[in-house]
Amino acid sequence: MAKLYSKKKLAAQQMKPKKETISFLLNYSKALNMYKVGNSNIEIIAN
């Protein structure tokens, strides 16, 4: 067990999202509308 803790960790690879993921998130945020009604907020997705 001691050997596991003494090893250096490898450098973390940078994770990059796919183009499809970015496109999905941008389209979702464009379709999302939030309205304040009284003391509450209403979320509507226009798709």
Side-chain angles (χ1 to χ4, degrees):
M1 287 291 273
K3 290 182 180 179
L4 294 176
Y5 294 111
S6 62
K7 290 183 181 179
K8 292 184 178 180
K9 293 183 180 181
L10 298 174
Q13 297 177 354
Q14 289 184 348
M15 299 176 68
K16 295 184 179 180
K18 295 180 183 178
K19 290 182 181 181
E20 294 86 16
T21 306
I22 294 172
S23 176
F24 173 79
L25 292 172
L26 287 173
N27 289 334
Y28 181 83
S29 66
K30 289 176 187 175
L32 180 66
N33 292 319
M34 296 186 70
Y35 299 102
K36 185 170 184 175
V37 178
N39 291 334
S40 61
N41 292 328
I42 299 174
E43 299 175 3
I44 298 174
I45 299 174
N47 275 351

